[in-house]
Structure formats: C-alpha cells, structure tokens
Amino acid sequence: MISRKILFLVTIACLSGVVSASPGYHAPFTEADWPKTFPLHKLEVNVISDEAVRIQVADSAKTEIRLSGVPGEAVFAELVSGGRVQFPKREISPLGMFWLAEAYTSDLNQDGQPDYVIAYSCGGNGGNAALSLVTFLLSTGQGYALFCTESYEFGPLDFISVEGKPRFINVCLRPVEECRDGKQHNFWVYNLYAFDQGTLKVDNKKMPGFPKVVWFTYAPNHQETTLLTSKRKAALIKSAQ
C-alpha cells in the first residue's frame, strides 16, 4: 500500500518490492515500443567518505544535495542552495549504501523550478543487489518536499512523456496464491505516477494499457496476464497503489 505522511515527507512503500521498467525480460513495453522518455540531466556525485556523499548541481547557486549516515544504518538527505538550506536534513531510509548513488535533475512537476532524483544501492545479495532507493526532492514554491520509493534497476527509462508531461513508471512485485491454473504465480504490477507539486499520485488514465499486470516468467514477457480473474486483478492493482 502507498502511505503518505504530509509534512514535507511523503513516502511510498511497496512492501513486496518495487522494480523499474527497464525494457528487458519484464516491462510494460517492448524495447521497440518504448514511449518517448522525459529528459533528465545527470548530476555529478562525489564520495567524500563512507559517511558522506555530495551531489553537485552545475548552477549559479552552487546547489548541493548532501547524503549522510553511518553505513548500514539510517541515511539522511539535505538540500543546500545559494548558501541556504532549501530542504532540512531528514531521514530518507533506515538502511542503505548511499555512496553508490546516481542523481538527476529535471522540472518534473512543471512549475519552472528544478526537481531532483537520487537513486542509491540498498545492497544485499541475489536479486536485491539491484535494489535501489529512489528519492525525489520536489519543489513546492516554499521549499522542497521529499518522496521515496524502492526500485530495481532504476534508470532514466522509467520516466516517460505522456502528452508532453512526465510520468514515472512504478512497478510492484505481487504474489497470487491461486491463479486460474490453480497454481501460485508472481506478477509485476505497473502504474504510472504523475508529479503534483510536492507529491506523486497515480495517473493511469492517459496511457493505454495502464495499469498493467505482467506474469513473472523466465522468458521475455510484456503482455497483460490472462491468469487472473478481473476481480483478483483489480485487487492486485489496488494493493500496489
């Protein structure tokens, strides 16, 4: 379920895991059919120490995003611009290896002010090795709001343009104990998120095929599943929002 704490801190948690929409084995589109992406500008990430990372924004205000924390414990983020704190130091995750970070900027909520996206490794073995925490710092007109989600193999392809506006492809992995074939299967549940000032909200209306549920198989699969009844599929989609 998506939970919101509205005080400048808004967090989405997909408890079964969230993955990005890279056009590989599992995605809502094939690589050939991938929609136009919304442009992101990659930022410079500097590792200061095991407990500090600085993300530099090449602007006249010398904007800097500061990640800090003891490895294996809570991670904090702070945004400083023009010598002033634009977003005070807040916890963004109870755990993570933030020195393996990548960061981007773009005007995601279309208010004429820069927004920021930071993704860093949460570590782990096996499939979890590709797990990242994705943090959005979104302008509000009075500062910045924080929004976080987990994502596997996060990348710029997760940001697509729908009628000229940015959308973020959010994917949760969900199990269903008994499908139409009588067996248990896992499914990717794809939703589109729109940027609304300092928050993200589900907005599947303007992109055909969303929300979309794809069966987790061991072969490339981009097709809507037929293994679920309409009632069970609706419940699955709701659980991922």
Side-chain angles (χ1 to χ4, degrees):
M1 294 292 290
I2 296 176
S3 60
R4 287 184 174 85
K5 235 189 240 179
I6 305 178
L7 275 175
F8 262 84
L9 174 60
V10 184
T11 302
I12 281 186
C14 290
L15 298 178
S16 296
V18 184
V19 296
S20 75
S22 57
Y25 281 96
H26 302 95
F29 315 101
T30 65
E31 188 171 1
D33 294 332
W34 206 264
K36 180 181 178 181
T37 56
F38 193 84
L40 302 178
H41 176 69
K42 194 167 186 177
L43 301 176
E44 179 183 353
V45 177
N46 297 308
V47 178
I48 307 303
S49 70
D50 284 349
E51 299 182 6
V53 163
R54 299 288 184 267
I55 299 168
Q56 307 294 139
V57 181
D59 62 5
S60 58
K62 297 183 178 180
T63 302
E64 186 176 81
I65 301 168
R66 300 171 180 174
L67 302 182
S68 61
V70 176
E73 297 184 11
V75 178
F76 298 85
E78 180 182 32
L79 177 64
V80 178
S81 184
R84 299 177 58 188
V85 174
Q86 301 294 328
F87 182 83
K89 188 175 180 179
R90 300 283 179 86
E91 181 178 329
I92 61 174
S93 171
L95 183 66
M97 295 189 295
F98 59 88
W99 55 89
L100 300 175
E102 58 182 307
Y104 303 86
T105 186
S106 188
D107 185 7
L108 295 173
N109 57 16
Q110 305 284 274
D111 66 353
Q113 299 298 317
D115 304 301
Y116 304 99
V117 186
I118 309 136
Y120 67 84
S121 173
C122 292
N125 298 315
N128 282 339
L131 179 64
S132 294
L133 178 78
V134 184
T135 298
F136 296 89
L137 285 169
L138 303 172
S139 59
T140 65
Q142 298 178 335
Y144 280 82
L146 182 72
F147 189 99
C148 301
T149 185
E150 290 181 342
S151 176
Y152 283 94
E153 298 182 352
F154 167 84
L157 283 176
D158 296 332
F159 296 83
I160 64 173
S161 180
V162 179
E163 297 185 355
K165 296 182 179 181
R167 294 293 184 269
F168 176 66
I169 301 175
N170 180 273
V171 189
C172 288
L173 181 62
R174 289 289 187 268
V176 175
E177 291 186 3
E178 186 174 349
C179 301
R180 279 179 164 171
D181 61 358
K183 300 178 181 179
Q184 176 177 326
H185 297 290
N186 295 317
F187 298 90
W188 303 119
V189 184
Y190 297 85
N191 283 287
L192 284 180
Y193 284 83
F195 297 88
D196 184 12
Q197 293 186 335
T199 67
L200 270 70
K201 63 180 182 181
V202 178
D203 186 4
N204 292 310
K205 297 179 181 178
K206 296 182 179 179
M207 172 61 75
F210 280 83
K212 190 170 187 178
V213 179
V214 175
W215 177 27
F216 184 106
T217 62
Y218 292 97
N221 187 13
H222 310 281
Q223 301 299 315
E224 182 77 25
T225 186
T226 58
L227 285 168
L228 301 174
T229 64
S230 57
K231 183 177 180 180
R232 182 151 287 182
K233 184 185 291 186
L236 193 68
I237 291 169
K238 185 177 181 180
S239 75
Q241 295 180 349

